[in-house]
């Protein structure tokens, strides 16, 4: 699967977080990487001033860092999307 820098692809990534235990928030912040992951409280914060491409890249980086398991998702579409992401060149 190729990464598409579109609003629809961003929505699919956001839905993946919504289906997980993590809460995704867009806020302003002084993050060196553009995002912050609070693993204890399961909160992911992404710089809200990032352009679309930056948000997508940050969310993909975070998914690779979190090592989510597709079987943990109830929705089949979320399972399939995460499996596709994991099988691409992203190498989570």
């Amino acid at each position: 699967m190729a990464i598409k820098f579109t609003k629809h692809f961003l929505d699919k990534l956001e839905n993946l977080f919504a289906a997980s235990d993590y809460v995704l928030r867009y806020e302003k912040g002084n993050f060196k990487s553009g995002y912050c992951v609070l693993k204890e409280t399961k909160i992911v914060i992404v710089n809200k001033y990032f352009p679309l491409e930056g948000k997508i890249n940050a969310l993909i980086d975070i998914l690779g860092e979190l090592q989510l398991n597709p079987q943990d998702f109830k929705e089949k579409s979320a399972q399939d999307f995460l499996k596709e992401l994991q099988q691409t060149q992203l190498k989570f």
Side-chain angles (χ1 to χ4, degrees):
M1 167 203 320
I3 297 172
K4 301 173 192 118
F5 296 104
T6 62
K7 176 69 172 126
H8 178 69
F9 192 78
L10 177 63
D11 290 342
K12 287 176 78 171
L13 288 170
E14 290 171 345
N15 288 339
L16 202 55
F17 279 93
S20 75
D21 293 338
Y22 284 84
V23 175
L24 174 63
R25 296 186 345 207
Y26 292 105
E27 297 186 15
K28 65 180 184 176
N30 203 7
F31 321 116
K32 290 186 180 186
S33 61
Y35 63 85
C36 177
V37 179
L38 305 171
K39 291 183 180 176
E40 296 297 318
T41 55
K42 297 195 174 196
I43 296 176
V44 172
I45 303 170
V46 176
N47 188 335
K48 72 178 182 178
Y49 296 114
F50 263 5
L52 180 69
E53 184 177 330
K55 289 177 182 175
I56 290 172
N57 285 329
L59 293 178
I60 288 172
D61 287 347
I62 294 166
L63 285 172
E65 184 180 318
L66 295 179
Q67 304 269 324
L68 298 176
N69 186 347
Q71 284 75 34
D72 293 342
F73 293 91
K74 294 176 185 168
E75 297 177 23
K76 179 84 169 111
S77 60
Q79 290 176 358
D80 293 343
F81 183 60
L82 184 58
K83 284 178 188 175
E84 279 185 66
L85 283 174
Q86 290 174 337
Q87 291 173 356
T88 62
Q89 72 277 7
L90 304 176
K91 307 263 191 266
F92 308 174

